[in-house]
Amino acid sequence: MTHFLQHGHWEEPNAKTETAQTPWNAIDDTEPQPGTHLVTPRHGYDHHGVYVGEGKVMHYAGLCRSLHGGPVEEVSIARFAAGHQIWIKSSPFPKYVGQEAVRRARSRLGENRYRLLTNNCEHFCTWCVYGESRSEQVEECLAFPRVALRMTTSFFKAFFEGRSKAMRSWLDNTALLQRLA
């Protein structure tokens, strides 16, 4: 039986959360091994990180929180997931495993050279595990421009919907404060 991490605890999957098209294995009920390549599906793309143990993940923050690129950082698994499911990406024949993959990830801590097409979170993880920077998502987008358009549209839609919710919340709070003043 497979399991995944959602909202800070391990749960059994159900028909809504586990599909046959998922190209990676779901996390089982034990903590992943350090050096494990993790993926969390987002709106329009998949975000990648390397599990380093003790509930921490190294990832290229990139565009996962805003339209401004962020550095390689070590964060809690909850912050990495940002409310989304987490899956293990199969890593057949990895060149670096366990603490060696973790050492490679930590060697780039603070690096701030994020580039969507050439140095993103997936490039970072494949470099940590395989020793080469690759992104299947980028390769697919370049090979199939309609996929790129669909991913870009979905990403920006989710980004601006989130910003409009935040703006509405800010306006609601501002109005409340004005009434209380």
Side-chain angles (χ1 to χ4, degrees), residues 44 136-154:
E136 292 175 4
Q137 293 177 102
V138 169
E139 291 168 6
E140 186 175 329
C141 287
L142 294 175
F144 304 101
R146 283 191 175 144
V147 171
L149 181 60
R150 192 168 50 246
M151 287 176 72
T152 303
T153 301
S154 181

Side-chain angles (χ1 to χ4, degrees), residues 31-110:
E31 180 181 12
Q33 293 296 311
T36 299
H37 184 163
L38 302 178
V39 179
T40 178
R42 303 292 175 88
H43 297 285
Y45 71 101
D46 292 330
H47 185 55
H48 297 252
V50 174
Y51 187 72
V52 296
E54 298 181 6
K56 301 287 186 180
V57 178
M58 294 284 301
H59 72 132
Y60 223 129
L63 303 174
C64 73
R65 287 190 298 276
S66 73
L67 289 178
H68 302 287
V72 173
E73 60 184 5
E74 185 172 324
V75 297
S76 70
I77 200 160
R79 184 167 174 196
F80 169 73
H84 301 274
Q85 300 170 6
I86 297 177
W87 300 89
I88 288 178
K89 178 149 177 80
S90 300
S91 298
F93 311 111
K95 186 172 182 179
Y96 304 100
V97 295
Q99 289 303 322
E100 185 61 19
V102 170
R103 185 193 62 72
R104 290 175 64 79
R106 285 189 169 139
S107 75
R108 292 177 60 181
L109 182 64

